[in-house]
Amino acid sequence: MKNALLLVISYFSVSFLYAQSTIRFGQGNVSNISVTASSQSNNSTLMRTLTGIGYLPNSAAASRFLSQATLGHNLTYIQDVTNVGIEKWLDTQLALPVVFRTQTYLTQLHQMMVDSLKVKFPANTYSLSNVYVSTVHFDASWFQGAMTASDAVRWRVAWALSELFVVSRVSAFDDNPYALASYYDLLLDNCLGNYRTLLNKITYHPAMGVYLTFLNNHATDTTNKVYPDENYAREMMQLFSIGLYKLNLDGTEMRDANNQLIPTYNNNDIAGLAKVFTGLSWGDSRYLGDNYKSKWSYTLPMKFFPIDSSDAKKNPWKTKPLIVNGHEPGSKTFLGSTIAARPVLQGEQDIQDALNIIFNHPNVGPFIARRLIQRLVTSNPSPGYIQRVATVFNNNGSGVRGDLKAVVRAVLLDAEARDCGADQTNATAGALREPLVRYMNLMRGLPLTTQGGIYRNVMVDLYNRLEQRPLSSPSVFNFFQPDFQPDGQLKALGKFAPEFQLVNSQTITSYINALNKWLINDDPVEFWTFFDGEIPKADQDSRFNLTADYAFTRNDKIPQLLDKYNLLFTGGKLSAKTLDLIRTMVIKMPYSEDVNGVPNNDYASRRVRLMLVLILSSPDYLINR
């Protein structure tokens, strides 16, 4: 396994060749020669022609684009993009409304359990309040949406933002699936909206309030030595908006006169901002400090309590209950700005003022640009790439700051993302595919059987094997950090490979074993019954239907099948050496056919599935470039 790990890491830091060579105008096939247009605007007709955006993509380019823009795609998606072009297809996707709501599906699943138990045990009383649901029901709901929602780009971007604005079940949520579903719907609803709106939504969501411990955050009480919790204030700046150090527009770090990095904030800034996030409690609370009422308390925006009247609410018999401030009075100073003192009854405006200050900080554009580029395209974007995207964040072309739809569009259509003029010998281009994205590539790429369009998958085994599933980060720092550098050539070059933080001997072995389970054993999903006595539903326990490919398992047709899967999963990037190795191994598998030339189903199935395992475990696939 040590050698396997070295192979994967070293592969990230060496170049590889595309299986097919495509020549375009402006592609930059001659080293050290660049082609420029009189207009340098990315939207100009000249630049669109030179960068290739003005052309319809071939199938390989379409597949590569889809690998960045979605959680997974099939041949129909590739054909659609090839027919209409990347830009038009993307604009159509970005215009789609939210078509699947995780909480709605979770509620339907929950109600199905209630109704079924009422029929099975009519003497008992069942309702949504007393029938237990857990986070596996959220996972089943998430997987259903990820498999069926037509707004595929939205789902990819929401997944990316879930790794930036982290909320995790590794918390005090008490196994509550409604907390997770409501928060994920927030990301789906706002991932293509405005960043300022997103900041507001996450600030008021109780899942974030509990996770970063500012729900029921109280004004300073020096008598009892109670001070505002600083957790959310710190992570809001460090992880959600501006980062640790001041940035240039291109994402490079500013330096002072002594060539030292310039911090964006200090402890005083954290303390000042923490005072802002006081006075928020559950949406169904009676007072500040109240406990949540039910699992649905996590679905309501937090309520602002300027005054702490908890003593009066809890002790109605008191004639002179203690009434104190819930929200911190006075001015709040942070990031070089001061929010003027106002009556605590108007304290909710402090929150809005604070979010405006953060939203307008010059670091936000390059900070968010780099994070989204890393999550969708490449671990090491050039300063120019970051600057182009950050410029769109600052102004979408219509004077709007923080337009995430425009930002996502800029990320995916940038010349560096689309590879026009890029140096294919760049050893640090692209990114290691995340474990969950690899899994979804497979699930969405191959025909997964289901009747009635229902996929039941709780993903427990998936998490145990690959250490990744939705909203399951071990900490607020995500499954991996954006500046992670594995030992070796990448670190020596000063480059980053965030996803490699999940790579170790255990996860490598587990991934190969998981491919064996999903493909060789044809067990791609984890079906659980959801209540006592539920009859297993075989039609929801999905399997791959690969019979259409059996006709291509004869030795002389193996290259055709390899071409299909090479296109689908790698965008045609399997090297000639890798293709030859896979072909050689597959034809060593037994094969027979009847007098009519129809292959033996068992032998054909084994050949197809072995081919898929070998492709999906190859460095050519694992590194998405």
Side-chain angles (χ1 to χ4, degrees):
M1 277 303 103
K2 180 179 179 181
N3 290 335
L5 177 59
L6 290 173
L7 172 64
V8 175
I9 293 180
S10 64
Y11 197 83
F12 188 94
S13 55
V14 298
S15 63
F16 60 88
L17 301 175
Y18 283 89
Q20 66 181 73
S21 178
T22 302
I23 299 176
R24 292 181 182 165
F25 293 107
Q27 186 72 23
N29 285 291
V30 181
S31 297
N32 301 318
I33 293 180
S34 61
V35 182
T36 60
S38 56
S39 172
Q40 292 298 304
S41 168
N42 284 332
N43 289 322
S44 73
T45 301
L46 288 170
M47 287 303 296
R48 286 159 56 82
T49 299
L50 290 175
T51 59
I53 293 176
Y55 296 99
L56 290 177
N58 61 23
S59 296
S63 180
R64 179 177 177 276
F65 162 73
L66 288 165
S67 72
Q68 299 166 342
T70 73
L71 289 170
H73 60 275
N74 56 28
L75 293 174
T76 299
Y77 272 80
I78 293 174
Q79 190 61 54
D80 288 344
V81 174
T82 303
N83 288 341
V84 303
I86 288 173
E87 187 174 16
K88 185 175 180 180
W89 185 90
L90 178 59
D91 286 341
T92 299
Q93 277 282 311
L94 294 176
L96 291 174
V98 176
V99 299
F100 182 96
R101 298 193 62 78
T102 316
Q103 186 180 330
T104 300
Y105 190 84
L106 171 64
T107 302
Q108 293 169 350
L109 196 63
H110 197 181
Q111 188 64 54
M112 177 275 292
M113 296 164 60
V114 170
D115 296 341
S116 298
L117 286 167
K118 284 180 178 178
V119 172
K120 192 169 184 64
F121 305 104
N124 296 334
T125 301
Y126 294 101
S127 68
L128 292 174
S129 298
N130 62 21
V131 171
Y132 177 73
V133 285
S134 72
T135 53
V136 298
H137 298 92
F138 161 74
D139 293 325
S141 302
W142 184 93
F143 187 76
Q144 179 70 19
M147 288 297 295
T148 62
S150 58
D151 50 342
V153 172
R154 182 185 298 276
W155 275 77
R156 180 62 188 263
V157 177
W159 168 252
L161 291 184
S162 76
E163 297 184 306
L164 174 57
F165 301 101
V166 173
V167 155
S168 175
R169 71 189 73 193
V170 185
S171 62
F173 292 167
D174 299 324
D175 206 23
N176 184 349
Y178 283 96
L180 303 182
S182 176
Y183 188 76
Y184 210 88
D185 283 346
L186 180 159
L187 297 176
L188 288 168
D189 288 340
N190 295 280
C191 67
L192 299 177
N194 194 282
Y195 173 81
R196 173 62 177 82
T197 303
L198 180 60
L199 284 184
N200 194 72
K201 295 289 186 179
I202 67 168
T203 296
Y204 278 88
H205 200 285
M208 182 63 78
V210 170
Y211 187 58
L212 291 184
T213 61
F214 68 102
L215 187 147
N216 284 327
N217 200 10
H218 201 280
T220 301
D221 178 357
T222 54
T223 301
N224 295 302
K225 296 184 179 180
V226 173
Y227 301 93
D229 188 290
E230 298 181 350
N231 209 9
Y232 185 61
R234 180 187 306 104
E235 310 311 351
M236 165 63 79
M237 292 188 287
Q238 179 181 347
L239 302 178
F240 300 166
S241 60
I242 63 175
L244 292 172
Y245 301 105
K246 291 186 178 181
L247 303 174
N248 296 302
L249 187 61
D250 65 3
T252 56
E253 293 165 331
M254 294 182 181
R255 301 273 177 167
D256 62 19
N258 297 316
N259 200 35
Q260 299 299 306
L261 296 176
I262 307 171
T264 50
Y265 63 88
N266 57 33
N267 287 335
N268 291 332
D269 294 309
I270 295 172
L273 182 56
K275 295 174 183 178
V276 170
F277 301 118
T278 50
L280 293 171
S281 188
W282 300 99
D284 53 4
S285 290
R286 296 173 298 152
Y287 52 84
L288 186 64
D290 201 4
N291 295 321
Y292 71 95
K293 303 295 184 296
S294 71
K295 58 179 69 74
W296 292 281
S297 297
Y298 276 96
T299 68
L300 304 173
M302 288 191 286
K303 187 189 300 183
F304 181 69
F305 290 89
I307 301 298
D308 178 5
S309 59
S310 57
D311 190 39
K313 297 292 185 181
K314 290 188 289 187
N315 305 296
W317 50 268
K318 285 188 175 181
T319 56
K320 293 183 178 181
L322 182 65
I323 305 295
V324 296
N325 288 322
H327 180 71
E328 185 78 13
S331 61
K332 287 91 176 171
T333 298
F334 64 99
L335 298 181
S337 297
T338 297
I339 299 173
R342 52 168 57 98
V344 293
L345 292 176
Q346 300 171 15
E348 204 159 11
Q349 187 57 47
D350 289 353
I351 297 175
Q352 299 307 310
D353 288 348
L355 296 182
N356 285 336
I357 290 168
I358 292 168
F359 174 62
N360 288 295
H361 192 285
N363 261 37
V364 178
F367 180 90
I368 295 298
R370 179 173 180 247
R371 295 299 188 272
L372 281 176
I373 293 169
Q374 283 191 316
R375 298 280 47 79
L376 300 178
V377 178
T378 180
S379 298
N380 294 284
S382 70
Y385 189 3
I386 293 174
Q387 180 168 334
R388 290 188 293 274
V389 175
T391 298
V392 172
F393 181 95
N394 291 344
N395 185 340
N396 68 353
S398 299
V400 177
R401 179 179 175 84
D403 180 354
L404 292 176
K405 183 182 295 185
V407 170
V408 169
R409 192 177 189 278
V411 169
L412 293 172
L413 294 183
D414 191 86
E416 194 166 323
R418 300 283 43 85
D419 220 22
C420 287
D423 183 358
Q424 287 302 304
T425 65
N426 181 359
T428 59
L432 176 67
R433 298 181 200 244
E434 299 175 54
L436 184 77
V437 172
R438 285 179 241 156
Y439 178 69
M440 293 308 301
N441 286 174
L442 181 61
M443 297 302 108
R444 288 175 55 88
L446 298 181
L448 198 61
T449 60
T450 178
Q451 296 179 22
I454 298 176
Y455 303 87
R456 187 182 294 192
N457 186 5
V458 298
M459 298 191 287
V460 172
D461 180 71
L462 174 74
Y463 179 69
N464 291 338
R465 290 176 185 270
L466 303 185
E467 300 180 7
Q468 199 177 36
R469 66 182 168 189
L471 304 186
S472 295
S473 169
S475 77
V476 72
F477 294 99
N478 190 27
F479 302 99
F480 41 79
Q481 297 187 42
D483 294 332
F484 178 76
Q485 296 176 302
D487 290 332
Q489 186 178 358
L490 282 175
K491 179 176 283 188
L493 291 171
K495 299 297 184 178
F496 308 102
E499 295 83 359
F500 272 94
Q501 198 164 357
L502 282 176
V503 175
N504 54 56
S505 58
Q506 180 177 336
T507 56
I508 291 174
T509 305
S510 294
Y511 176 61
I512 301 301
N513 289 337
L515 287 174
N516 181 74
K517 174 180 182 288
W518 302 333
L519 288 163
I520 304 301
N521 297 337
D522 195 18
D523 189 15
V525 302
E526 190 172 5
F527 178 95
W528 281 14
T529 55
F530 282 155
F531 57 88
D532 263 351
E534 182 185 12
I535 299 172
K537 298 175 175 62
D539 59 307
Q540 296 180 21
D541 191 4
S542 302
R543 298 286 186 269
F544 291 124
N545 181 3
L546 305 175
T547 54
D549 291 333
Y550 291 178
F552 299 94
T553 54
R554 199 172 66 197
N555 285 359
D556 62 327
K557 293 186 177 181
I558 286 295
Q560 293 175 255
L561 190 56
L562 264 173
D563 284 346
K564 172 185 174 179
Y565 288 140
N566 184 18
L567 169 66
L568 179 61
F569 289 110
T570 77
K573 295 195 293 288
L574 290 177
S575 68
K577 181 178 180 180
T578 301
L579 285 166
D580 186 59
L581 285 170
I582 294 174
R583 182 191 63 80
T584 300
M585 295 187 70
V586 170
I587 64 176
K588 288 182 178 180
M589 296 290 291
Y591 176 84
S592 68
E593 56 187 38
D594 64 19
V595 294
N596 297 315
V598 178
N600 175 280
N601 280 353
D602 287 341
Y603 289 158
S605 176
R606 290 173 191 170
R607 285 190 163 203
V608 172
R609 292 169 186 275
L610 175 62
M611 181 183 293
L612 286 164
V613 168
L614 294 173
I615 290 172
L616 296 174
S617 58
S618 70
D620 308 51
Y621 164 74
L622 292 172
I623 305 300
N624 190 25
R625 296 174 51 138

